[in-house]
Amino acid sequence: DAKTTQPTSMDCAEGRAANLPCNHSTISGNEYVYWYRQIHSQGPQYIIHGLKNNETNEMASLIITEDRKSSTLILPHATLRDTAVYYCIEETSGSRLTFGEGTQLTVNP
Amino acid sequence: DAGVTQSPTHLIKTRGQHVTLRCSPISGHKSVSWYQQVLGQGPQFIFQYYEKEERGRGNFPDRFSARQFPNYSSELNVNALLLGDSALYLCASSLAGTYLYEQYFGPGTRLTVT
């Protein structure tokens, strides 16, 4: 299974940008990178995905390096409600999400 | 519209027993996937069903089985429960299960095996 590497935990001050890195060195040319998050006691929630260009939506921005071996999820103005485990996921064959252990982001007041 | 619903919310079973977990997808969604999340780890894929047919199966023993009904709801069955089956069981629904960005997860069922 495709494997991504993320820091175990990160802290961020409320109102500041949260930048969550991910290494996906095994990614192939046509495979997307997906980001999901899981707030405590809830199911995972889709955030954003991308192939090679930077992407932005109402929740976040995704910056993918030119070699596509790593990416950064940016929450531009983190709030306390953004405290969650963030998962970076490589696309794999079959319609399944392969979650790693993710990054626990804690937003502090 | 209602999101994905799962029942029950919590349950406690004894080793060796059988359990059935239920999932109702978002209206109009025809695909349901099941995931197991052990404490401290990310969810692990168990099954995917689309139009009542099994589309994918993860690395889980035959004690785990599932089915999807004509109304697209689904059941996950686990036989001969082990202590290691204690986990949060998540259901995700999608229109056709094709795109990984369209998975909508329910709140899960917390299973405790004693």
Side-chain angles (χ1 to χ4, degrees):
Chain A
D1 282 343
K3 181 77 173 175
T4 59
T5 305
Q6 299 178 255
T8 302
S9 63
M10 296 183 65
D11 287 286
C12 176
E14 188 177 20
R16 304 297 294 268
N19 297 282
L20 291 92
C22 176
N23 289 322
H24 32 80
S25 57
T26 61
I27 200 167
S28 299
N30 294 320
E31 293 172 344
Y32 282 78
V33 174
Y34 297 82
W35 284 82
Y36 274 72
R37 74 178 181 182
Q38 187 173 22
I39 296 170
H40 184 62
S41 298
Q42 297 182 21
Q45 174 193 25
Y46 166 77
I47 302 172
I48 198 168
H49 72 287
L51 183 62
K52 58 179 70 176
N53 298 316
N54 298 338
E55 302 288 345
T56 296
N57 63 19
E58 66 277 6
M59 291 184 69
S61 294
L62 177 61
I63 308 298
I64 303 174
T65 58
E66 192 169 341
D67 64 4
R68 303 209 326 115
K69 301 301 185 186
S70 64
S71 61
T72 300
L73 179 74
I74 301 172
L75 308 177
H77 306 285
T79 71
L80 299 179
R81 288 176 294 180
D82 291 323
T83 292
V85 178
Y86 287 77
Y87 296 99
C88 168
I89 302 168
E90 276 184 41
E91 182 174 9
T92 57
S93 60
S95 303
R96 64 187 69 178
L97 292 163
T98 303
F99 292 86
E101 296 187 354
T103 296
Q104 172 65 60
L105 174 68
T106 302
V107 181
N108 300 304
Chain B
D1 283 342
V4 178
T5 59
Q6 294 186 243
S7 63
T9 304
H10 299 84
L11 75 165
I12 300 173
K13 291 286 189 178
T14 304
R15 277 178 298 176
Q17 287 188 316
H18 163 271
V19 69
T20 298
L21 311 180
R22 295 177 175 83
C23 172
S24 292
I26 292 171
S27 177
H29 284 192
K30 299 181 178 180
S31 178
V32 169
S33 297
W34 287 95
Y35 290 79
Q36 180 197 65
Q37 186 173 25
V38 174
L39 194 63
Q41 298 182 18
Q44 300 299 306
F45 173 79
I46 310 175
F47 286 110
Q48 185 191 38
Y49 277 78
Y50 174 67
E51 290 279 16
K52 304 185 293 295
E53 297 290 328
E54 182 183 299
R55 174 178 279 183
R57 171 186 286 258
N59 188 24
F60 280 81
D62 293 342
R63 299 185 296 109
F64 289 77
S65 63
R67 56 179 176 169
Q68 187 177 31
F69 299 99
N71 67 353
Y72 303 111
S73 67
S74 178
E75 285 183 352
L76 175 70
N77 295 283
V78 186
N79 293 323
L81 284 167
L82 304 174
L83 295 179
D85 295 330
S86 295
L88 179 69
Y89 288 85
L90 295 159
C91 171
S93 83
S94 61
L95 282 168
T98 305
Y99 301 109
L100 296 182
Y101 59 79
E102 63 164 5
Q103 304 282 325
Y104 295 87
F105 284 82
T109 293
R110 174 72 63 187
L111 171 65
T112 301
V113 182
T114 62

